Amino acid sequence: MGKSSLMRAARRWTRPLLGALVIGGTALLSGERALSQAASSPTDLLQIFQSLPQEQQDALLRQFGASGGGAGGLLNALGGGGGGGQSQRARQRPSALSEEQEAEVVAETEPPGLKGEDWVIIQVALPGPKPAVPTVPVQAVPALPPGATAAAGASAGATQNSLASLLAATTGTTAPVPPGEVAEAAAQQEREHLQPLIDLIRSKNPYRLTRDGALILPGFAPIALLGLSDDQATLRLSVEPALRGIDIHLTRLPLRKTGAEGLKPFGHDIFGKKPPSTFAPDTNVPVPSDYTIGPGDELDVQLYGNQNRTLKLIVGRDGTINVPELGPINVQGQHFLSVKSSLEARVEHQLIGTRASVSMGDIRSIRVFVLGEAKRPGSYTISALSTITSGLYAAGGVQLDGSLRQVALMRAGALVRRLDLYDLLIRGNARDDAKLLQDDVIFIPPVERTVGIVGEVRRPAIYEIKGESTVADLIQLAGGLTPDADRSALVLTRIDEQQHRVVLPVDLSAGARSQRLSNGDLLSVARLRPNLDSGILVQGYLYSPGSFAWRRGIRLTDVIRSVDELRPDADIHYVLIRRETPPEDHVSVLSADLAAALAAPGSAADVELMPRDRITVFDLQSGRDHEIRPVLDELRLQGSAENPSQIVNVGGRVKVPGEYPLEPGMTVRDLIRAGGGTNAGAYAHQAELIRYQVVNGEARRTELINIDLGAALQGVPTANLKLQPLDTLTVKEVPDWESQESVTLRGEVRFPGTYTIRRGETLKSVLGRAGGLTPYAFPEGSVFTRDELRRREQEQLDQLADRMQRDVALLALQSAGAGQAGAATAYSVGQSLMVQLKGAKAVGRLVIDLPRLQESAVGSTYDVVLRGGDTLAVPRYQQQVTVIGEVQTATSHLYNPKLGRDDYIGLSGGVTRRADHSKIYVVRASGSVVAGEGNRWFEHSQVTIKPGDTIVVPLDTENIPALPLWTQVTQIIYNLAVALLAIKSV
């Protein structure tokens, strides 16, 4: 049998075999009844398969005969990987577009590739860890004898039990699986080896490609990426040997070049990819009077008078036209106006009573040559009305290294005209844009001298200079300077005779406009500083922020004249003034009480302002960090060992705690004012001031100073201390000052509702305030819940659900691999429990004995110290006994004191086959669980049943391939159900 035949036979038995695996997995998901149904999709089993470690996936694929490929190999073996065939059919589908059309579509849709000097971001990371799943022992399968595959494919009945047959033929040996600890240690060692490289690559971001489009990573040889897309470049980097095992991704930054790098040669953009039709000859325009008639032109002659007809006369190769009744007439080389007047005169004289009107018809075509530095040099046939610019347009324009100022028109080997396109583009002068004749040559020489200009000019670009030789000429070519240009700070960068790049200053205000230019010069025009040299800036939380003119003696109330100029909730007691002191522009900070300044204009509270002051008005609602942080950063930069940073801190019970600039002469009261003042919970008798001092430059000493805050706020000098750099003021809180807490009483309470509690108050006390319970209350069934307990229980439920999900997935694979009896039942039960557990919501119930609590004194062991959010629900008197769990009918029965536990179970139809008789228990109405002697679950029915009790018949998990948590999970679910029923009964 050939190799291809063996592969076809292998596929014939592998697919039915894995189909049986899918059937078994689907049966596990749907219970015992699903065993007789065939699954149509392997999605559920595939999800379980993907949650296993890689070594276990490979072992399972080897066991079931699928060769590698991970989940893809499993899908292909199951016949579910049809996406590849579909893609192949899509690739083989003939295209309706031609190859040229497809190339144009691709060129339009695909993003441009990487270019030289592009900026890119390199994102690198270690591969994410796979979810931890317990190791599954996998049994090895011996090789099938020749012919076994064909027999398996021929037998339809063997398809249903192919998995069981395969597992039955195993030798029972366990395939060697690497221990989890060894694999984890190897992975950790690999991560430690790669992490320094990842950190190094990240630290150099962003990267700039070389002029040749190569990426240079630290420690790597240049990697060529020119022309590749982002995805292609990422793929190229991923195959680099040193980068294997690292998730790497390249992203190009679409940065637009600015400054000198962004300069382009002036004038070339008029010949873009799709040049404007400005230079295309228009055949519908009037023919100029000096147009020279030549072979191929058409003259329209309209006769009127004795003869009324129109003649279309074409100039022949000999330069003549044949006019009926007049004969041939030579018009070669004559201007159109001359031909028109002579022809009309001859008709009038020779054809008595007839006159003529002569006009131009179709214009002849001429052939011209566009040579030199054209984008598409060659021969072109264009209209005889065309000019030099029309020929340039036909050739696609001028290359970047071609001259726009020396375009030559050659005719019969002689120079006829030179066109300077700058005259046309800058000055609008088309005088030298001459008409073309047959066999004219347009020659574009290479560009010679160029200079660049960047910065505050109208047209920054690279200019070709011809007659211009000075800085003034270059500025004029660029359209002049902008209003923001700094005329005293121009910089000329030049390559001198020694091939050194040097910088020359140019001061236009000092008469340096005549500075001579050299080839390759770059003139940079700087912008004026945005700072106000003689002004005051007002910003922040006011209606009309802006700049104000400074004058000597101007004060705060001159720029903020009224509180009405401020927005609502603006802080009128703390206005920050940032000041720069020349000549070093040292930053200092002042503050003002705007309310005091407006109350007494011109006083000391009304601060006198200086040039370049920046006034900030704050908002009490949104805080001040955004505005103050830049000022604090400036103060930190000015700090030193001799002069610490001028920053202080206020915290505690103030409205806006945080760091603030230290002002000259700032006191405790000023700092409280900067913090928005104290709030309602501030302790007015004492505050703490922490002061840090460096003693003899050797050690830092911390000093604690207790301050009478009330006296400091009144300005008492002994309490209102002067602050020093890095001081920290803490305003204490009034003892026992907290947000008000409340509890809720519901149900059979005389006055139900929400009650505000004192700190340490108990449930007994609040019940007394609520008037106690009503005569219809059932205190034994009361439910007391607490938010803190509910949050804690919910976290535990979520963790338990995650563990349960992993165990169920493990059980499914173990059962499918070992063919265990009752595996479908176990999996079905596990799935049901997991769904219930994920849907369960914690109650946060605290079991209390409300009858004893009522009989006891306040603060007894039965009493509960309340917390905010606690809830007590007291139901009405209960007359039922509820039976739930593994019984035929879960229901409630009317309480009968003569009946016992088994009697109520019998009224519910008895227990099911899956019930655990030895662990039946009773949940009292209070939430407590009744247990037998010796702290064991009672084994007999000798237990007193009371009204409101719930009898729980648990699931017998010992007779099912158990998960470790099943017993715990079933008990939690039952108890939650009981608590929810108790709450809903109120």
Side-chain angles (χ1 to χ4, degrees):
M1 183 180 295
K3 182 176 180 181
S4 59
S5 300
L6 283 173
M7 294 179 65
R8 287 194 297 269
R11 284 194 293 268
R12 282 197 296 271
W13 70 262
T14 302
R15 290 189 177 181
L17 172 62
L18 292 173
L21 175 60
V22 177
I23 295 173
T26 308
L28 293 176
L29 293 174
S30 58
E32 291 179 341
R33 291 180 297 178
L35 289 172
S36 60
Q37 301 175 0
S40 60
S41 172
T43 305
D44 294 334
L45 189 61
L46 179 61
Q47 293 177 353
I48 298 174
F49 174 82
Q50 289 177 333
S51 67
L52 292 175
Q54 184 62 44
E55 60 271 11
Q56 298 182 13
Q57 294 181 12
D58 296 339
L60 283 175
L61 288 173
R62 290 195 301 270
Q63 180 178 0
F64 298 139
S67 57
L74 179 61
L75 277 177
N76 292 332
L78 293 173
Q86 183 178 0
S87 300
Q88 187 173 1
R89 289 194 297 271
R91 289 194 298 269
Q92 293 176 352
R93 184 170 60 247
S95 174
L97 299 175
S98 64
E99 293 183 359
E100 294 182 356
Q101 291 173 331
E102 288 182 351
E104 292 177 0
V105 171
V106 169
E108 292 179 359
T109 56
E110 286 186 352
L114 292 170
K115 303 180 182 63
E117 299 184 347
D118 275 355
W119 288 92
V120 296
I121 291 289
I122 304 297
Q123 297 172 292
V124 287
L126 291 170
K130 295 185 177 181
V133 178
T135 304
V136 180
V138 181
Q139 296 182 346
V141 181
L144 294 177
T149 56
S155 175
T159 302
Q160 300 178 358
N161 297 319
S162 56
L163 176 61
S165 301
L166 176 64
L167 294 175
T170 60
T171 60
T173 60
T174 302
V177 179
E181 294 79 1
V182 177
E184 179 62 26
Q188 181 64 26
Q189 185 178 4
E190 180 68 14
R191 287 194 293 267
E192 293 177 355
H193 173 70
L194 294 175
Q195 191 61 48
L197 176 61
I198 291 176
D199 296 339
L200 179 61
I201 294 176
R202 287 175 178 171
S203 65
K204 302 298 181 180
N205 270 317
Y207 290 86
R208 191 176 192 182
L209 303 186
T210 64
R211 286 177 176 252
D212 300 329
L215 173 65
I216 301 179
L217 296 176
F220 287 76
I223 304 174
L225 302 178
L226 185 66
L228 300 182
S229 65
D230 289 8
D231 293 338
Q232 293 170 339
T234 298
L235 181 61
R236 168 64 184 88
L237 294 175
S238 65
V239 300
E240 193 71 20
L243 297 176
R244 291 176 183 172
I246 297 177
D247 290 340
I248 187 168
H249 183 75
L250 179 143
T251 302
R252 177 179 49 181
L253 300 177
L255 297 177
R256 179 176 297 178
K257 294 181 179 180
T258 59
E261 294 183 354
L263 291 181
K264 296 180 180 180
F266 173 75
H268 287 266
D269 52 353
I270 63 173
F271 303 107
K273 294 181 179 179
K274 292 184 179 180
S277 59
T278 305
F279 300 106
D282 194 345
T283 58
N284 295 323
V285 299
V287 176
S289 59
D290 59 347
Y291 175 72
T292 302
I293 304 296
D297 284 337
E298 181 183 71
L299 296 176
D300 293 340
V301 181
Q302 183 179 3
L303 302 178
Y304 58 95
N306 290 338
Q307 298 184 26
N308 293 300
R309 56 177 174 163
T310 300
L311 304 177
K312 291 186 176 295
L313 308 177
I314 298 178
V315 181
R317 293 185 177 180
D318 57 353
T320 62
I321 56 175
N322 293 315
V323 183
E325 303 179 13
L326 294 182
I329 300 175
N330 187 7
V331 296
Q332 171 73 28
Q334 301 181 33
H335 290 168
F336 168 68
L337 182 61
S338 175
V339 172
K340 173 181 172 64
S341 58
S342 64
L343 186 57
E344 290 177 350
R346 290 190 64 170
V347 169
E348 183 179 359
H349 286 87
Q350 297 185 15
L351 301 179
I352 304 302
T354 302
R355 294 191 176 186
S357 175
V358 181
S359 62
M360 286 296 301
D362 292 338
I363 306 298
R364 72 182 185 275
S365 297
I366 61 175
R367 184 187 64 180
V368 297
F369 296 91
V370 183
L371 303 176
E373 301 301 325
K375 288 187 177 179
R376 295 189 298 270
S379 173
Y380 294 91
T381 301
I382 57 179
S383 170
L385 292 175
S386 299
T387 61
I388 298 176
T389 54
S390 303
L392 295 176
Y393 167 83
V398 182
Q399 294 187 22
L400 294 180
D401 54 356
S403 172
L404 295 183
R405 310 197 66 179
Q406 299 288 340
V407 181
L409 174 61
M410 311 290 293
R411 184 174 297 159
L415 177 64
V416 176
R417 191 73 58 87
R418 284 193 183 275
L419 174 64
D420 186 351
L421 284 175
Y422 279 23
D423 289 340
L424 179 63
L425 299 175
I426 297 177
R427 305 176 184 91
N429 184 5
R431 179 184 56 186
D432 292 331
D433 191 14
K435 297 288 192 301
L436 300 178
L437 299 180
Q438 178 72 20
D439 294 330
D440 277 356
V441 176
I442 301 174
F443 181 74
I444 306 171
V447 67
E448 295 180 356
R449 301 173 63 206
T450 59
V451 293
I453 184 169
V454 66
E456 294 303 312
V457 291
R458 304 291 184 183
R459 293 188 298 264
I462 298 174
Y463 290 90
E464 179 183 357
I465 55 175
K466 187 173 62 173
E468 302 82 9
S469 59
T470 64
V471 169
D473 296 334
L474 178 58
I475 293 176
Q476 184 178 3
L477 281 178
L481 303 176
T482 65
D484 292 336
D486 188 351
R487 297 174 177 269
S488 63
L490 278 69
V491 173
L492 186 66
T493 304
R494 171 176 297 173
I495 300 177
D496 61 11
E497 297 178 355
Q498 289 76 30
Q499 297 299 305
H500 295 159
R501 196 176 299 273
V502 297
V503 176
L504 304 177
V506 177
D507 189 353
L508 296 181
S509 61
R513 302 178 64 90
S514 60
Q515 173 76 41
R516 308 292 296 181
L517 295 176
S518 299
N519 185 27
D521 283 356
L522 175 64
L523 181 64
S524 300
V525 183
R527 175 179 292 186
L528 291 170
R529 299 188 310 272
N531 299 353
L532 287 175
D533 293 325
S534 181
I536 299 169
L537 179 63
V538 181
Q539 62 184 13
Y541 205 65
L542 68 167
Y543 287 111
S544 300
S547 302
F548 293 84
W550 178 84
R551 67 177 187 276
R552 190 173 300 279
I554 189 172
R555 293 182 178 271
L556 178 62
T557 55
D558 294 326
V559 295
I560 304 179
R561 294 178 291 273
S562 171
V563 178
D564 296 335
E565 298 182 10
L566 308 181
R567 294 181 179 272
D569 297 327
D571 190 349
I572 62 174
H573 296 290
Y574 183 70
V575 175
L576 186 70
I577 303 174
R578 175 190 177 275
R579 177 165 295 173
E580 296 180 7
T581 304
E584 297 87 1
D585 290 341
H586 180 82
V587 176
S588 59
V589 177
L590 304 174
S591 72
D593 188 339
L594 182 59
L598 292 174
S603 64
D606 191 8
V607 179
E608 184 176 352
L609 303 179
M610 300 297 292
R612 300 174 66 174
D613 277 357
R614 189 168 65 199
I615 304 171
T616 303
V617 180
F618 295 104
D619 175 19
L620 285 173
Q621 297 290 336
S622 58
R624 304 170 180 178
D625 184 71
H626 180 71
E627 292 84 1
I628 288 185
R629 183 174 295 276
V631 179
L632 296 178
D633 292 340
E634 291 177 324
L635 295 177
R636 287 190 179 93
L637 289 176
Q638 293 180 174
S640 63
E642 296 78 12
N643 184 22
S645 300
Q646 303 297 300
I647 297 173
V648 290
N649 189 296
V650 61
R653 303 299 292 188
V654 292
K655 294 179 180 178
V656 191
E659 292 182 327
Y660 290 90
L662 176 62
E663 310 164 23
M666 191 175 190
T667 62
V668 171
R669 184 170 63 174
D670 295 331
L671 183 55
I672 295 293
R673 176 171 56 85
T678 58
N679 55 27
Y683 183 60
H685 296 288
Q686 189 183 68
E688 290 184 351
L689 180 64
I690 304 297
R691 177 162 294 171
Y692 301 101
Q693 293 181 345
V694 178
V695 180
N696 299 326
E698 298 178 352
R700 178 179 177 179
R701 186 181 66 185
T702 302
E703 181 183 2
L704 173 62
I705 304 174
N706 291 320
I707 295 175
D708 186 341
L709 185 60
L713 293 177
Q714 294 176 3
V716 177
T718 56
N720 190 26
L721 301 181
K722 187 176 180 180
L723 299 179
Q724 297 181 8
L726 305 180
D727 278 358
T728 298
L729 178 66
T730 302
V731 179
K732 298 180 179 180
E733 182 181 85
V734 173
D736 297 334
W737 181 274
E738 293 181 355
S739 299
Q740 293 182 348
E741 296 182 340
S742 60
V743 297
T744 302
L745 304 182
R746 297 192 293 111
E748 294 301 317
V749 182
R750 187 175 298 275
F751 299 106
T754 301
Y755 289 84
T756 301
I757 60 174
R758 303 183 304 273
R759 189 174 184 181
E761 190 170 5
T762 64
L763 180 58
K764 171 80 172 180
S765 173
V766 175
L767 280 175
R769 292 163 56 190
L773 305 181
T774 67
Y776 307 101
F778 183 53
E780 291 83 359
S782 61
V783 179
F784 184 87
T785 59
R786 177 165 288 172
D787 292 340
E788 180 182 355
L789 294 178
R790 179 167 55 249
R791 289 191 295 269
R792 188 185 309 167
E793 290 174 4
Q794 189 62 51
E795 292 177 359
Q796 295 174 353
L797 284 176
D798 294 340
Q799 295 174 4
L800 189 60
D802 293 339
R803 291 181 55 189
M804 186 76 180
Q805 185 175 8
R806 292 195 297 268
D807 289 347
V808 169
L810 176 62
L811 175 65
L813 294 173
Q814 287 177 333
S815 301
Q820 297 176 356
T825 301
Y827 188 79
S828 176
V829 173
Q831 283 286 89
S832 177
L833 289 176
M834 185 176 65
V835 171
Q836 295 180 50
L837 187 59
K838 284 189 173 182
K841 298 299 180 183
V843 177
R845 182 176 185 178
L846 177 65
V847 177
I848 64 173
D849 191 343
L850 189 57
R852 291 192 178 182
L853 184 147
Q854 290 180 295
E855 298 172 357
S856 304
V858 175
S860 66
T861 56
Y862 297 101
D863 206 354
V864 180
V865 178
L866 297 176
R867 298 182 184 177
D870 287 352
T871 301
L872 176 66
V874 182
R876 289 189 178 183
Y877 182 75
Q878 305 290 325
Q879 292 182 283
Q880 79 280 354
V881 175
T882 304
V883 183
I884 63 173
E886 294 299 323
V887 293
Q888 300 297 336
T889 303
T891 185
S892 298
H893 306 278
L894 186 64
Y895 172 70
N896 188 341
K898 297 180 180 180
L899 300 181
R901 184 198 70 183
D902 292 345
D903 298 326
Y904 286 107
I905 294 176
L907 292 176
S908 295
V911 298
T912 64
R913 292 183 303 170
R914 297 188 300 182
D916 190 343
H917 298 268
S918 62
K919 294 184 179 178
I920 299 174
Y921 60 96
V922 176
V923 180
R924 297 294 188 194
S926 63
S928 60
V929 179
V930 179
E933 296 179 358
N935 292 330
R936 297 177 57 190
W937 299 101
F938 52 83
E939 300 179 358
H940 304 287
S941 60
Q942 302 300 325
V943 60
T944 301
I945 302 299
K946 299 180 180 180
D949 286 354
T950 300
I951 303 173
V952 180
V953 182
L955 175 70
D956 185 5
T957 58
E958 295 181 356
N959 295 328
I960 302 175
L963 295 173
L965 304 175
W966 282 20
T967 302
Q968 181 182 359
V969 170
T970 54
Q971 181 181 351
I972 290 174
I973 293 174
Y974 290 144
N975 291 345
L976 285 174
V978 172
L980 288 174
L981 288 174
I983 293 175
K984 291 181 179 180
S985 66
V986 178

